[in-house]
Amino acid sequence: SNAGSIAEAALEVHNVMQAAQDAADHYVEEIKVRAENEYQRIIRDADGKAEVIIADAKIKAAKIKENIL
């Protein structure tokens, strides 16, 4: 009966550890998804700002060319 109790306890510990590992794996995957989404948002924002800067630079360049010619 002692061996049975030890085996049962070991199985319970294993189940608890497996549940903890599963939860940790799920958490890591969720963080990866959030990080990827945040990365994509940052890239979109940077691209948008770059487009505005380029458009502004083209306008300024055209005005400079007009004043020179």
Side-chain angles (χ1 to χ4, degrees), residues 1-67:
S1 102
N2 216 7
S5 295
I6 292 172
E8 288 173 9
L11 182 59
E12 286 182 37
V13 168
H14 171 75
N15 290 340
V16 168
M17 296 302 287
Q18 186 62 51
Q21 184 63 54
D22 292 346
D25 291 344
H26 177 75
Y27 177 75
V28 168
E29 286 304 313
E30 185 176 320
I31 294 301
K32 285 180 182 179
V33 168
R34 287 183 184 183
E36 179 63 25
N37 290 340
E38 180 66 8
Y39 168 77
Q40 294 298 330
R41 185 193 64 75
I42 290 168
I43 294 298
R44 281 192 309 274
D45 289 351
D47 286 344
K49 289 176 183 177
E51 288 176 14
V52 169
I53 291 168
I54 290 168
D56 186 46
K58 286 179 180 180
I59 291 169
K60 289 178 181 176
K63 288 180 181 178
I64 291 169
K65 284 172 99 175
E66 286 176 11
N67 290 333

